[in-house]
Amino acid sequence: MNNDLIIEGLTKKFVTATSVAIADVNITVKEGTFTTLLGPSGCGKSTTLNCVAGLEQPTAGTIRVGDFVMTDTARDLILPPEQRHLGMVFQSYALWPHMKVFDNVAFALKLQKRPSDEIRQRVHESLVLVGLEELADRYPFQLSGGQQQRVALARAVVSRPKVLLLDEPLSNLDAKIRENARVWLRGLQQQLGITTVYVTHDQSEAFAMSDMIAVMSMGKLQQYAPPDEIYERPANRFVAEFIGVTSFITGILQNVDGKKATLKLTSGELLNIRKESKSDYVWKDGEYTAAAIRSERVEVLTEGAPARENTVKAQITSRTYLGSKWQYTVETSGGSLRLESTDAIQGDSLSMYLPPDSIILLAN
Amino acid sequence: MTTAEQNLHPAVTTHPKFSWDTGVQWLVVIVTAVLVIFPAWPIVLQSFMSKPLYDKDRAFTFDNYSNLLANARFWDVLVYTAAFAVATTIIAVSIGIVLAVIINRTNIPLRNLYSNLVTIPYYVSPLVLAFAWMQMYGPQGFGTILVRMLKLPIWQLYSFGGIVIVSAMYYIPYTFLYASSSLALADPQLESAARIGGASPFRTILKITIPLLRPAITYSALLTLVSSFELLSIPLVLGNAVGIDTLATYLYTIGVVGVNKDQGAVAAVAVLVVILVTGLVYLQGKLVSLERRFVTVGGKATRPKAIDLGAWKGIVSFFVGLYVLLGIILPLGCIVLTSFVPFLSPFMNPLKMLTLENYQGIFGSPAYRQSVVNSINISIFAAAIGIVFMAVAALIAYRSTFKYRNAVKYMALYPRAFPGIIVGIGFLWAFLLVPGLGSLRNTIIAISVAFIMRYLPLGFSAVSPAVLQVSDELDRAGRVAGATWLGTIRYILLPILRPALVSGYILLAISFLKEYATALFLVAEGSRVIGTTMLELWKQGGAEPVAALSTIQMAITAVLIIGARKLLGVKLHE
């Protein structure tokens, strides 16, 4: 049986103080995979997650797991959260302060009126899974932040849900613990083989953990693809800007020929571009346009190096020492660019090489 | 995932038509609406009728209003009430703020003791306070006679000034409590910054501490204004003998004791008063939300270092002590003493004539004894029912997706615009008009329902902050784990809110014990409460039985407060 989580045409109108509307979001999360909803705050990622959980009501759309339909606005069906059999971990962990760890984890099973032997055993299994079986008799306030987060996870998976929802569960942890928790959480998800939807605004988390990333902005799904594709072939200008450090260089498009083109800067310098982008941008001769390039793909050329295609001259306008490297902002005739180098560059000007397959043309 | 679990997820396609969740939500919204509308409709209706509502010959008319507006006495009373309310507010708020700053922010001796003593009037019925001042400072008062014997200049308590001062005494704790909790929450770094900027301690208080209290000042000023506008007891007890009337005593006079009761006039006055108070309450909401910019609460309640008053601290402490002694301890002590003697007089040593006669008189009379029992029952049971209802209403308003959740909030808060005496009139007429309900008047059910309606805003506002402080992720987590809305309330929210519910319950129980104005019209043979019996005895001229009832009421209140603190560890205010 196929148990993919399928979100179709999900739309929520009305803008309230706490949530922003979302428009026509379509996402399929394959059974057993890990999808991250990534975007700046207010982009609609939490609203989407809450609609899946049943905590918010969409104005249109369907949400189902396999043939278990949870939301179908066309049929006026919106199941309340308690009838969806999901697991969820909240940003604040939301451990109930008046219950011991054991009772927190056992809550869902008690509501299902399971026999107490079974409850004890399954709570124990869940706590072993997160490595906290020793702490069953503690109250939440007696635990560290990392332990609370693990209890919240044990509570979310104890009733063996088909889908696990995670709402920025790592954002309240210290930076060091967070990196370990990331690896641990991904390992656990693969061990359980549970379909997981994860919400975050932290792109390094998204890249480290996900099978698929859904980049969202202004309530719209901007791109839904595996992490490497999101990084290498951003679908539009928003994705390119949001992920990594991206600069834009402007010029006039010339010699469009199938998979190749040239960008002519105002100085007359020419940049060859190879068409690799998945973007649905239509290339047109003579158009004034901005091309994106990742700062780490720009190569600084040493003085006296042999002349090459795609070389651009630039003036250094600022330099920042970051410890492991230098970051420069430079001014070219196509606009300002950011680039990185492990070398301290002397002087005020430099030449740089922009690899043809790293220059991406994007729809706005 | 075992295969056995696969069947846990049936392909549900039916939309649940009824659930207990929505059932309870509808029930609460309907009960709230009925509570608010039930006493209002007969008053509004009556105000447009030529004859009483039970009279078949009644007809629609505007005469009630035109007669009233043409009545010079009404305008006198209105102006007098406005002057009284404004004067009371100015005095109560200024003294309350000064006391709050001195007691919370300076190092005067005995400040911890004072911080408890100055709040006493908050827990005492204004009726008791009025009797206490009458016993001490009235024309025949213990203190007055003492001063007269010493040939010192004498005062007249039965006057505008006297009524204002006693009323201010009653309202000072409100400002004191709001300002104190505001001071406790304010960021002490704001004061530190002023000191580092070169300001002296005194200047810091004047330029930083007090201006930061503006929201508390605005809020307590409007609260005092609204409450004193409808205050009945103090103007009645102290102004009756000299013919002074405020709107509340005027209503009482024409409605309860008047020879030819004109129900149309009573209704017209009531409607005008409700409109007036609604305006004030609306103004209060507007001003308080405008003052949000002063809110500096960071949640950190670090107590800043007390400001050193140096050589002044002894003198300041002396004056605060004098205020507590003359304003609170002596009058209340005097009324307690009166309850234990045949009569109180400076000419005879009271300690030589101690007696329990007055108490025997109260408990010997079935009617008086019943009023004490009724009051206790209402305090215990009606307050318990009330607080649970108000808590569920607050949870619907702030923690549900129910369609009419905002309506619940507005309806629960609206009775603020209904003075107690008008709530009483409304319920009386409604109970008399609806067939079958009239007999309820003789039980405490009618009075309990009226009290619950009158104190909906108090209970709702007592529970709401606690509800809002609980992260909504806790109930969301409950829902996702499989609990219904009611299940979440039962297993998660109510246990977490328990301390707030207990303190809300005690607050409601004390208020029900103190309440008299709502019961005045509604009271019948079998439903007397302490407050109505006190007024009855006062009219018969018995100062000592009144003192005994006052003492009983204070003793029960003290038991409630001390019990809450010691047994349950609950504080009634921040």
Side-chain angles (χ1 to χ4, degrees), chain A residues 43-83:
Chain A
C43 70
K45 57 189 191 296
S46 292
T47 306
T48 306
L49 192 77
N50 285 334
C51 284
V52 175
L55 295 168
E56 284 186 48
Q57 274 88 41
T59 36
T62 62
I63 301 170
R64 60 194 167 93
V65 178
D67 58 2
F68 174 52
V69 181
M70 302 188 293
T71 298
D72 183 356
T73 52
R75 281 188 290 157
D76 195 24
L77 169 75
I78 298 178
L79 285 186
E82 63 268 22
Q83 290 172 21

Side-chain angles (χ1 to χ4, degrees), chain B residues 460-492:
Chain B
F460 189 86
S461 321
V463 180
S464 298
V467 171
L468 291 171
Q469 270 173 16
V470 178
S471 160
D472 67 345
E473 287 197 343
L474 292 182
D475 28 323
R476 287 166 163 237
R479 293 302 292 275
V480 174
T484 59
W485 182 75
L486 279 174
T488 310
I489 286 186
R490 181 173 155 203
Y491 297 117
I492 295 170

Side-chain angles (χ1 to χ4, degrees), chain A residues 298 300-301 303 312-321 326-333 335-341 343-352:
Chain A
V298 177
V300 178
L301 297 176
E303 250 174 274
V312 175
K313 284 195 187 328
Q315 298 290 317
I316 298 176
T317 54
S318 82
R319 55 186 89 209
T320 311
Y321 181 54
W326 286 83
Q327 194 175 63
Y328 299 93
T329 308
V330 300
E331 193 64 36
T332 70
S333 66
S336 76
L337 258 68
R338 286 219 279 177
L339 57 97
E340 288 165 0
S341 169
D343 301 323
I345 299 169
Q346 305 300 319
D348 287 339
S349 62
L350 54 77
S351 292
M352 54 195 185

